[in-house]
Amino acid sequence: MVYMLLKYRIKEGELETVIKNIKDFLYAVHEQEPDTIRYEVFQEKDKLTFTHVMLFRDQTGEHYHSNTAHFKEFGNNLLQYCVEGPTFSDLIFIGTSENLDWMQSPDRV
């Protein structure tokens, strides 16, 4: 599994446009990316800061995602609305409360 995080802050007055773009993007991810296991977008209380949390089946799924037309369009559009970021981070999975199988892993921290 490949876990990633994206964070950015948008300009005042661009919220409605960015929310629409996020919804269109999420629809395209859902329809066209079978190896994207989960893609969630969160908005902070300031209404202008967003965090995307991504889970891909493997590197191939992440590579496919980052080369889709909808990814490139969303990213290119997003740049004009940002005052901070976007910043990507690769994440290392530690655990979840949903399923405790990870506790049996020899790699467990």
Side-chain angles (χ1 to χ4, degrees), residues 33-74:
E33 297 186 32
D35 290 332
T36 300
I37 306 301
R38 179 170 284 170
Y39 199 113
E40 299 175 325
V41 181
F42 300 89
Q43 181 182 31
E44 292 188 15
K45 289 182 181 181
D46 70 4
K47 304 272 191 218
L48 301 175
T49 304
F50 293 84
T51 301
H52 297 222
V53 179
M54 299 159 252
L55 170 57
F56 304 101
R57 188 171 317 282
D58 52 26
Q59 285 295 137
T60 302
E62 188 277 323
H63 181 76
Y64 178 82
H65 168 76
S66 63
N67 285 287
T68 61
H70 55 268
F71 174 86
K72 292 175 184 177
E73 180 181 353
F74 179 77

mmCIF file of all heavy atoms in Angstrom, residues 33-74:
data_model
loop_
_atom_site.group_PDB
_atom_site.id
_atom_site.type_symbol
_atom_site.label_atom_id
_atom_site.label_comp_id
_atom_site.label_asym_id
_atom_site.label_seq_id
_atom_site.Cartn_x
_atom_site.Cartn_y
_atom_site.Cartn_z
ATOM 1 N N GLU A 33 -10.151 5.086 -11.329
ATOM 2 C CA GLU A 33 -8.940 4.611 -10.671
ATOM 3 C C GLU A 33 -9.225 3.439 -9.731
ATOM 4 O O GLU A 33 -9.352 3.616 -8.526
ATOM 5 C CB GLU A 33 -8.296 5.758 -9.885
ATOM 6 C CG GLU A 33 -7.851 6.906 -10.761
ATOM 7 C CD GLU A 33 -7.096 7.950 -9.972
ATOM 8 O OE1 GLU A 33 -6.406 7.613 -8.987
ATOM 9 O OE2 GLU A 33 -7.200 9.130 -10.352
ATOM 10 N N PRO A 34 -9.269 2.234 -10.271
ATOM 11 C CA PRO A 34 -9.556 1.076 -9.416
ATOM 12 C C PRO A 34 -8.480 0.793 -8.369
ATOM 13 O O PRO A 34 -8.764 0.156 -7.351
ATOM 14 C CB PRO A 34 -9.680 -0.078 -10.414
ATOM 15 C CG PRO A 34 -8.946 0.379 -11.631
ATOM 16 C CD PRO A 34 -9.087 1.869 -11.671
ATOM 17 N N ASP A 35 -7.254 1.254 -8.590
ATOM 18 C CA ASP A 35 -6.177 1.012 -7.627
ATOM 19 C C ASP A 35 -6.004 2.137 -6.617
ATOM 20 O O ASP A 35 -5.061 2.128 -5.821
ATOM 21 C CB ASP A 35 -4.865 0.731 -8.356
ATOM 22 C CG ASP A 35 -4.893 -0.619 -9.065
ATOM 23 O OD1 ASP A 35 -5.620 -1.525 -8.589
ATOM 24 O OD2 ASP A 35 -4.214 -0.774 -10.094
ATOM 25 N N THR A 36 -6.912 3.113 -6.651
ATOM 26 C CA THR A 36 -6.965 4.109 -5.585
ATOM 27 C C THR A 36 -7.985 3.582 -4.582
ATOM 28 O O THR A 36 -9.188 3.596 -4.832
ATOM 29 C CB THR A 36 -7.370 5.490 -6.123
ATOM 30 O OG1 THR A 36 -6.403 5.901 -7.091
ATOM 31 C CG2 THR A 36 -7.432 6.509 -5.003
ATOM 32 N N ILE A 37 -7.487 3.074 -3.468
ATOM 33 C CA ILE A 37 -8.324 2.426 -2.465
ATOM 34 C C ILE A 37 -9.176 3.451 -1.721
ATOM 35 O O ILE A 37 -10.344 3.237 -1.450
ATOM 36 C CB ILE A 37 -7.451 1.644 -1.453
ATOM 37 C CG1 ILE A 37 -6.518 0.674 -2.173
ATOM 38 C CG2 ILE A 37 -8.309 0.955 -0.406
ATOM 39 C CD1 ILE A 37 -7.200 -0.353 -3.020
ATOM 40 N N ARG A 38 -8.565 4.560 -1.399
ATOM 41 C CA ARG A 38 -9.267 5.603 -0.656
ATOM 42 C C ARG A 38 -8.656 6.953 -1.038
ATOM 43 O O ARG A 38 -7.449 7.095 -1.143
ATOM 44 C CB ARG A 38 -9.131 5.372 0.846
ATOM 45 C CG ARG A 38 -9.817 6.442 1.686
ATOM 46 C CD ARG A 38 -9.866 6.073 3.128
ATOM 47 N NE ARG A 38 -10.913 5.066 3.271
ATOM 48 C CZ ARG A 38 -11.114 4.359 4.363
ATOM 49 N NH1 ARG A 38 -10.350 4.520 5.403
ATOM 50 N NH2 ARG A 38 -12.086 3.485 4.431
ATOM 51 N N TYR A 39 -9.533 7.927 -1.220
ATOM 52 C CA TYR A 39 -9.096 9.299 -1.462
ATOM 53 C C TYR A 39 -10.066 10.184 -0.697
ATOM 54 O O TYR A 39 -11.250 10.242 -1.025
ATOM 55 C CB TYR A 39 -9.121 9.647 -2.954
ATOM 56 C CG TYR A 39 -8.277 10.857 -3.286
ATOM 57 C CD1 TYR A 39 -7.133 10.737 -4.052
ATOM 58 C CD2 TYR A 39 -8.605 12.118 -2.804
ATOM 59 C CE1 TYR A 39 -6.350 11.837 -4.344
ATOM 60 C CE2 TYR A 39 -7.835 13.220 -3.074
ATOM 61 C CZ TYR A 39 -6.707 13.073 -3.847
ATOM 62 O OH TYR A 39 -5.916 14.162 -4.122
ATOM 63 N N GLU A 40 -9.570 10.818 0.338
ATOM 64 C CA GLU A 40 -10.406 11.661 1.195
ATOM 65 C C GLU A 40 -9.858 13.077 1.218
ATOM 66 O O GLU A 40 -8.645 13.275 1.219
ATOM 67 C CB GLU A 40 -10.440 11.108 2.613
ATOM 68 C CG GLU A 40 -11.029 9.719 2.684
ATOM 69 C CD GLU A 40 -10.960 9.106 4.063
ATOM 70 O OE1 GLU A 40 -9.976 9.345 4.788
ATOM 71 O OE2 GLU A 40 -11.901 8.377 4.416
ATOM 72 N N VAL A 41 -10.771 14.038 1.261
ATOM 73 C CA VAL A 41 -10.376 15.442 1.325
ATOM 74 C C VAL A 41 -11.026 16.054 2.562
ATOM 75 O O VAL A 41 -12.224 15.885 2.789
ATOM 76 C CB VAL A 41 -10.805 16.211 0.060
ATOM 77 C CG1 VAL A 41 -10.355 17.668 0.147
ATOM 78 C CG2 VAL A 41 -10.240 15.550 -1.190
ATOM 79 N N PHE A 42 -10.219 16.763 3.338
ATOM 80 C CA PHE A 42 -10.675 17.407 4.562
ATOM 81 C C PHE A 42 -10.442 18.907 4.459
ATOM 82 O O PHE A 42 -9.445 19.345 3.891
ATOM 83 C CB PHE A 42 -9.911 16.862 5.773
ATOM 84 C CG PHE A 42 -10.093 15.381 5.969
ATOM 85 C CD1 PHE A 42 -9.250 14.475 5.350
ATOM 86 C CD2 PHE A 42 -11.122 14.900 6.769
ATOM 87 C CE1 PHE A 42 -9.425 13.113 5.516
ATOM 88 C CE2 PHE A 42 -11.299 13.535 6.945
ATOM 89 C CZ PHE A 42 -10.452 12.643 6.318
ATOM 90 N N GLN A 43 -11.352 19.663 5.059
ATOM 91 C CA GLN A 43 -11.253 21.112 5.105
ATOM 92 C C GLN A 43 -11.093 21.515 6.565
ATOM 93 O O GLN A 43 -11.863 21.075 7.417
ATOM 94 C CB GLN A 43 -12.534 21.711 4.517
ATOM 95 C CG GLN A 43 -12.579 23.206 4.477
ATOM 96 C CD GLN A 43 -13.920 23.684 3.912
ATOM 97 O OE1 GLN A 43 -14.935 23.029 4.080
ATOM 98 N NE2 GLN A 43 -13.897 24.830 3.267
ATOM 99 N N GLU A 44 -10.095 22.342 6.841
ATOM 100 C CA GLU A 44 -9.898 22.807 8.214
ATOM 101 C C GLU A 44 -10.938 23.865 8.564
ATOM 102 O O GLU A 44 -11.616 24.419 7.696
ATOM 103 C CB GLU A 44 -8.476 23.333 8.391
ATOM 104 C CG GLU A 44 -7.451 22.211 8.293
ATOM 105 C CD GLU A 44 -6.043 22.648 8.652
ATOM 106 O OE1 GLU A 44 -5.858 23.734 9.246
ATOM 107 O OE2 GLU A 44 -5.112 21.879 8.341
ATOM 108 N N LYS A 45 -11.053 24.160 9.841
ATOM 109 C CA LYS A 45 -12.062 25.110 10.327
ATOM 110 C C LYS A 45 -11.886 26.506 9.746
ATOM 111 O O LYS A 45 -12.841 27.265 9.662
ATOM 112 C CB LYS A 45 -12.061 25.160 11.855
ATOM 113 C CG LYS A 45 -12.629 23.899 12.467
ATOM 114 C CD LYS A 45 -12.671 23.980 13.975
ATOM 115 C CE LYS A 45 -13.214 22.681 14.543
ATOM 116 N NZ LYS A 45 -13.301 22.688 15.985
ATOM 117 N N ASP A 46 -10.678 26.843 9.319
ATOM 118 C CA ASP A 46 -10.463 28.159 8.708
ATOM 119 C C ASP A 46 -11.115 28.259 7.330
ATOM 120 O O ASP A 46 -11.146 29.316 6.732
ATOM 121 C CB ASP A 46 -8.974 28.503 8.632
ATOM 122 C CG ASP A 46 -8.200 27.654 7.627
ATOM 123 O OD1 ASP A 46 -8.787 26.820 6.898
ATOM 124 O OD2 ASP A 46 -6.961 27.823 7.573
ATOM 125 N N LYS A 47 -11.615 27.135 6.820
ATOM 126 C CA LYS A 47 -12.311 27.007 5.529
ATOM 127 C C LYS A 47 -11.383 27.123 4.326
ATOM 128 O O LYS A 47 -11.801 26.858 3.201
ATOM 129 C CB LYS A 47 -13.439 28.035 5.380
ATOM 130 C CG LYS A 47 -14.466 28.006 6.462
ATOM 131 C CD LYS A 47 -15.543 27.034 6.125
ATOM 132 C CE LYS A 47 -16.706 27.226 7.099
ATOM 133 N NZ LYS A 47 -17.311 25.992 7.467
ATOM 134 N N LEU A 48 -10.137 27.513 4.522
ATOM 135 C CA LEU A 48 -9.235 27.747 3.397
ATOM 136 C C LEU A 48 -8.113 26.724 3.277
ATOM 137 O O LEU A 48 -7.419 26.697 2.265
ATOM 138 C CB LEU A 48 -8.629 29.153 3.500
ATOM 139 C CG LEU A 48 -9.627 30.308 3.503
ATOM 140 C CD1 LEU A 48 -8.907 31.627 3.745
ATOM 141 C CD2 LEU A 48 -10.434 30.349 2.214
ATOM 142 N N THR A 49 -7.931 25.898 4.290
ATOM 143 C CA THR A 49 -6.858 24.910 4.285
ATOM 144 C C THR A 49 -7.452 23.528 4.057
ATOM 145 O O THR A 49 -8.417 23.146 4.713
ATOM 146 C CB THR A 49 -6.077 24.941 5.608
ATOM 147 O OG1 THR A 49 -5.590 26.279 5.813
ATOM 148 C CG2 THR A 49 -4.908 23.977 5.587
ATOM 149 N N PHE A 50 -6.850 22.798 3.118
ATOM 150 C CA PHE A 50 -7.345 21.480 2.728
ATOM 151 C C PHE A 50 -6.239 20.439 2.857
ATOM 152 O O PHE A 50 -5.070 20.720 2.607
ATOM 153 C CB PHE A 50 -7.833 21.496 1.275
ATOM 154 C CG PHE A 50 -9.052 22.342 1.083
ATOM 155 C CD1 PHE A 50 -8.940 23.711 0.888
ATOM 156 C CD2 PHE A 50 -10.312 21.773 1.108
ATOM 157 C CE1 PHE A 50 -10.060 24.502 0.718
ATOM 158 C CE2 PHE A 50 -11.443 22.559 0.943
ATOM 159 C CZ PHE A 50 -11.320 23.926 0.745
ATOM 160 N N THR A 51 -6.653 19.240 3.236
ATOM 161 C CA THR A 51 -5.755 18.099 3.317
ATOM 162 C C THR A 51 -6.392 16.940 2.566
ATOM 163 O O THR A 51 -7.556 16.617 2.793
ATOM 164 C CB THR A 51 -5.500 17.694 4.779
ATOM 165 O OG1 THR A 51 -4.933 18.811 5.473
ATOM 166 C CG2 THR A 51 -4.562 16.507 4.869
ATOM 167 N N HIS A 52 -5.629 16.354 1.665
ATOM 168 C CA HIS A 52 -6.058 15.167 0.927
ATOM 169 C C HIS A 52 -5.273 13.982 1.480
ATOM 170 O O HIS A 52 -4.045 14.064 1.614
ATOM 171 C CB HIS A 52 -5.732 15.291 -0.559
ATOM 172 C CG HIS A 52 -6.430 16.409 -1.254
ATOM 173 N ND1 HIS A 52 -6.983 16.249 -2.507
ATOM 174 C CD2 HIS A 52 -6.656 17.704 -0.909
ATOM 175 C CE1 HIS A 52 -7.524 17.395 -2.898
ATOM 176 N NE2 HIS A 52 -7.326 18.292 -1.939
ATOM 177 N N VAL A 53 -5.962 12.904 1.792
ATOM 178 C CA VAL A 53 -5.324 11.680 2.260
ATOM 179 C C VAL A 53 -5.597 10.604 1.212
ATOM 180 O O VAL A 53 -6.751 10.344 0.865
ATOM 181 C CB VAL A 53 -5.860 11.245 3.637
ATOM 182 C CG1 VAL A 53 -5.189 9.958 4.092
ATOM 183 C CG2 VAL A 53 -5.655 12.355 4.660
ATOM 184 N N MET A 54 -4.520 9.999 0.711
ATOM 185 C CA MET A 54 -4.631 9.048 -0.386
ATOM 186 C C MET A 54 -4.083 7.688 0.008
ATOM 187 O O MET A 54 -3.065 7.608 0.702
ATOM 188 C CB MET A 54 -3.822 9.546 -1.580
ATOM 189 C CG MET A 54 -4.277 10.872 -2.124
ATOM 190 S SD MET A 54 -2.974 11.682 -3.073
ATOM 191 C CE MET A 54 -2.539 12.995 -1.930
ATOM 192 N N LEU A 55 -4.740 6.653 -0.460
ATOM 193 C CA LEU A 55 -4.284 5.284 -0.268
ATOM 194 C C LEU A 55 -4.388 4.565 -1.604
ATOM 195 O O LEU A 55 -5.477 4.465 -2.181
ATOM 196 C CB LEU A 55 -5.146 4.572 0.784
ATOM 197 C CG LEU A 55 -4.948 3.069 0.945
ATOM 198 C CD1 LEU A 55 -3.499 2.726 1.275
ATOM 199 C CD2 LEU A 55 -5.891 2.520 1.988
ATOM 200 N N PHE A 56 -3.239 4.116 -2.098
ATOM 201 C CA PHE A 56 -3.171 3.399 -3.370
ATOM 202 C C PHE A 56 -2.782 1.944 -3.108
ATOM 203 O O PHE A 56 -2.031 1.654 -2.180
ATOM 204 C CB PHE A 56 -2.128 4.044 -4.293
ATOM 205 C CG PHE A 56 -2.383 5.501 -4.540
ATOM 206 C CD1 PHE A 56 -1.659 6.471 -3.852
ATOM 207 C CD2 PHE A 56 -3.347 5.916 -5.444
ATOM 208 C CE1 PHE A 56 -1.888 7.817 -4.060
ATOM 209 C CE2 PHE A 56 -3.590 7.263 -5.652
ATOM 210 C CZ PHE A 56 -2.856 8.215 -4.971
ATOM 211 N N ARG A 57 -3.269 1.062 -3.958
ATOM 212 C CA ARG A 57 -2.983 -0.365 -3.818
ATOM 213 C C ARG A 57 -1.470 -0.630 -3.845
ATOM 214 O O ARG A 57 -0.952 -1.427 -3.096
ATOM 215 C CB ARG A 57 -3.673 -1.161 -4.924
ATOM 216 C CG ARG A 57 -3.579 -2.654 -4.754
ATOM 217 C CD ARG A 57 -4.437 -3.437 -5.734
ATOM 218 N NE ARG A 57 -5.776 -2.914 -5.955
ATOM 219 C CZ ARG A 57 -6.815 -3.058 -5.127
ATOM 220 N NH1 ARG A 57 -6.664 -3.720 -3.996
ATOM 221 N NH2 ARG A 57 -7.997 -2.549 -5.422
ATOM 222 N N ASP A 58 -0.763 0.107 -4.707
ATOM 223 C CA ASP A 58 0.677 -0.083 -4.858
ATOM 224 C C ASP A 58 1.254 1.104 -5.625
ATOM 225 O O ASP A 58 0.528 2.043 -5.962
ATOM 226 C CB ASP A 58 0.989 -1.414 -5.568
ATOM 227 C CG ASP A 58 0.235 -1.589 -6.885
ATOM 228 O OD1 ASP A 58 -0.127 -0.564 -7.516
ATOM 229 O OD2 ASP A 58 -0.001 -2.738 -7.287
ATOM 230 N N GLN A 59 2.560 1.049 -5.924
ATOM 231 C CA GLN A 59 3.222 2.134 -6.656
ATOM 232 C C GLN A 59 2.618 2.310 -8.045
ATOM 233 O O GLN A 59 2.539 3.425 -8.548
ATOM 234 C CB GLN A 59 4.728 1.857 -6.774
ATOM 235 C CG GLN A 59 5.511 2.085 -5.512
ATOM 236 C CD GLN A 59 5.513 3.539 -5.066
ATOM 237 O OE1 GLN A 59 5.348 3.809 -3.890
ATOM 238 N NE2 GLN A 59 5.693 4.479 -5.952
ATOM 239 N N THR A 60 2.198 1.219 -8.651
ATOM 240 C CA THR A 60 1.587 1.298 -9.979
ATOM 241 C C THR A 60 0.304 2.121 -9.917
ATOM 242 O O THR A 60 0.053 2.960 -10.788
ATOM 243 C CB THR A 60 1.305 -0.114 -10.533
ATOM 244 O OG1 THR A 60 2.538 -0.837 -10.580
ATOM 245 C CG2 THR A 60 0.685 -0.067 -11.911
ATOM 246 N N GLY A 61 -0.505 1.902 -8.882
ATOM 247 C CA GLY A 61 -1.734 2.677 -8.712
ATOM 248 C C GLY A 61 -1.455 4.154 -8.492
ATOM 249 O O GLY A 61 -2.157 5.018 -9.037
ATOM 250 N N GLU A 62 -0.438 4.460 -7.695
ATOM 251 C CA GLU A 62 -0.073 5.860 -7.449
ATOM 252 C C GLU A 62 0.455 6.496 -8.735
ATOM 253 O O GLU A 62 0.113 7.631 -9.063
ATOM 254 C CB GLU A 62 0.971 5.953 -6.336
ATOM 255 C CG GLU A 62 1.270 7.369 -5.884
ATOM 256 C CD GLU A 62 2.279 8.094 -6.745
ATOM 257 O OE1 GLU A 62 3.235 7.455 -7.222
ATOM 258 O OE2 GLU A 62 2.116 9.310 -6.950
ATOM 259 N N HIS A 63 1.268 5.761 -9.469
ATOM 260 C CA HIS A 63 1.815 6.266 -10.734
ATOM 261 C C HIS A 63 0.682 6.534 -11.733
ATOM 262 O O HIS A 63 0.662 7.579 -12.398
ATOM 263 C CB HIS A 63 2.830 5.272 -11.301
ATOM 264 C CG HIS A 63 3.445 5.718 -12.579
ATOM 265 N ND1 HIS A 63 4.411 6.690 -12.643
ATOM 266 C CD2 HIS A 63 3.216 5.332 -13.856
ATOM 267 C CE1 HIS A 63 4.757 6.887 -13.904
ATOM 268 N NE2 HIS A 63 4.041 6.077 -14.653
ATOM 269 N N TYR A 64 -0.252 5.593 -11.820
ATOM 270 C CA TYR A 64 -1.396 5.776 -12.715
ATOM 271 C C TYR A 64 -2.167 7.040 -12.331
ATOM 272 O O TYR A 64 -2.494 7.867 -13.184
ATOM 273 C CB TYR A 64 -2.312 4.546 -12.657
ATOM 274 C CG TYR A 64 -3.532 4.691 -13.531
ATOM 275 C CD1 TYR A 64 -3.462 4.421 -14.897
ATOM 276 C CD2 TYR A 64 -4.742 5.136 -13.004
ATOM 277 C CE1 TYR A 64 -4.571 4.579 -15.708
ATOM 278 C CE2 TYR A 64 -5.854 5.296 -13.806
ATOM 279 C CZ TYR A 64 -5.765 5.020 -15.157
ATOM 280 O OH TYR A 64 -6.864 5.181 -15.956
ATOM 281 N N HIS A 65 -2.447 7.194 -11.034
ATOM 282 C CA HIS A 65 -3.181 8.361 -10.535
ATOM 283 C C HIS A 65 -2.495 9.660 -10.939
ATOM 284 O O HIS A 65 -3.133 10.577 -11.468
ATOM 285 C CB HIS A 65 -3.305 8.283 -9.011
ATOM 286 C CG HIS A 65 -3.786 9.542 -8.375
ATOM 287 N ND1 HIS A 65 -5.104 9.942 -8.419
ATOM 288 C CD2 HIS A 65 -3.116 10.499 -7.680
ATOM 289 C CE1 HIS A 65 -5.231 11.097 -7.777
ATOM 290 N NE2 HIS A 65 -4.047 11.455 -7.326
ATOM 291 N N SER A 66 -1.200 9.737 -10.708
ATOM 292 C CA SER A 66 -0.481 10.987 -10.953
ATOM 293 C C SER A 66 -0.274 11.289 -12.434
ATOM 294 O O SER A 66 0.189 12.377 -12.773
ATOM 295 C CB SER A 66 0.856 10.994 -10.205
ATOM 296 O OG SER A 66 1.686 9.971 -10.689
ATOM 297 N N ASN A 67 -0.650 10.360 -13.300
ATOM 298 C CA ASN A 67 -0.524 10.583 -14.739
ATOM 299 C C ASN A 67 -1.870 10.692 -15.446
ATOM 300 O O ASN A 67 -1.916 10.759 -16.672
ATOM 301 C CB ASN A 67 0.319 9.474 -15.372
ATOM 302 C CG ASN A 67 1.783 9.669 -15.054
ATOM 303 O OD1 ASN A 67 2.436 10.554 -15.587
ATOM 304 N ND2 ASN A 67 2.295 8.871 -14.148
ATOM 305 N N THR A 68 -2.962 10.722 -14.699
ATOM 306 C CA THR A 68 -4.275 10.859 -15.327
ATOM 307 C C THR A 68 -4.515 12.303 -15.755
ATOM 308 O O THR A 68 -3.943 13.244 -15.194
ATOM 309 C CB THR A 68 -5.410 10.438 -14.368
ATOM 310 O OG1 THR A 68 -5.385 11.294 -13.227
ATOM 311 C CG2 THR A 68 -5.291 8.975 -13.968
ATOM 312 N N ALA A 69 -5.389 12.454 -16.725
ATOM 313 C CA ALA A 69 -5.749 13.803 -17.187
ATOM 314 C C ALA A 69 -6.427 14.592 -16.074
ATOM 315 O O ALA A 69 -6.164 15.791 -15.913
ATOM 316 C CB ALA A 69 -6.659 13.705 -18.408
ATOM 317 N N HIS A 70 -7.276 13.920 -15.275
ATOM 318 C CA HIS A 70 -7.979 14.657 -14.213
ATOM 319 C C HIS A 70 -7.027 15.107 -13.107
ATOM 320 O O HIS A 70 -7.216 16.162 -12.527
ATOM 321 C CB HIS A 70 -9.169 13.867 -13.651
ATOM 322 C CG HIS A 70 -8.861 12.510 -13.154
ATOM 323 N ND1 HIS A 70 -8.953 11.393 -13.949
ATOM 324 C CD2 HIS A 70 -8.469 12.073 -11.940
ATOM 325 C CE1 HIS A 70 -8.637 10.321 -13.238
ATOM 326 N NE2 HIS A 70 -8.331 10.722 -12.015
ATOM 327 N N PHE A 71 -5.981 14.338 -12.823
ATOM 328 C CA PHE A 71 -4.967 14.764 -11.840
ATOM 329 C C PHE A 71 -4.241 16.004 -12.352
ATOM 330 O O PHE A 71 -4.073 16.990 -11.621
ATOM 331 C CB PHE A 71 -3.974 13.633 -11.579
ATOM 332 C CG PHE A 71 -2.818 14.038 -10.703
ATOM 333 C CD1 PHE A 71 -2.926 13.994 -9.323
ATOM 334 C CD2 PHE A 71 -1.620 14.464 -11.262
ATOM 335 C CE1 PHE A 71 -1.862 14.371 -8.513
ATOM 336 C CE2 PHE A 71 -0.556 14.837 -10.461
ATOM 337 C CZ PHE A 71 -0.682 14.790 -9.086
ATOM 338 N N LYS A 72 -3.809 15.952 -13.594
ATOM 339 C CA LYS A 72 -3.069 17.086 -14.164
ATOM 340 C C LYS A 72 -3.939 18.338 -14.241
ATOM 341 O O LYS A 72 -3.487 19.433 -13.915
ATOM 342 C CB LYS A 72 -2.524 16.695 -15.536
ATOM 343 C CG LYS A 72 -1.444 15.638 -15.441
ATOM 344 C CD LYS A 72 -0.992 15.154 -16.792
ATOM 345 C CE LYS A 72 0.022 14.030 -16.609
ATOM 346 N NZ LYS A 72 0.444 13.476 -17.876
ATOM 347 N N GLU A 73 -5.204 18.165 -14.625
ATOM 348 C CA GLU A 73 -6.103 19.311 -14.696
ATOM 349 C C GLU A 73 -6.365 19.898 -13.308
ATOM 350 O O GLU A 73 -6.313 21.121 -13.117
ATOM 351 C CB GLU A 73 -7.429 18.894 -15.338
ATOM 352 C CG GLU A 73 -8.415 20.030 -15.456
ATOM 353 C CD GLU A 73 -9.740 19.594 -16.070
ATOM 354 O OE1 GLU A 73 -9.861 18.451 -16.527
ATOM 355 O OE2 GLU A 73 -10.664 20.423 -16.073
ATOM 356 N N PHE A 74 -6.650 19.030 -12.333
ATOM 357 C CA PHE A 74 -6.895 19.510 -10.975
ATOM 358 C C PHE A 74 -5.663 20.246 -10.442
ATOM 359 O O PHE A 74 -5.779 21.342 -9.886
ATOM 360 C CB PHE A 74 -7.264 18.345 -10.049
ATOM 361 C CG PHE A 74 -7.507 18.776 -8.631
ATOM 362 C CD1 PHE A 74 -8.688 19.401 -8.285
ATOM 363 C CD2 PHE A 74 -6.551 18.557 -7.650
ATOM 364 C CE1 PHE A 74 -8.921 19.812 -6.971
ATOM 365 C CE2 PHE A 74 -6.772 18.962 -6.339
ATOM 366 C CZ PHE A 74 -7.954 19.593 -6.002
#
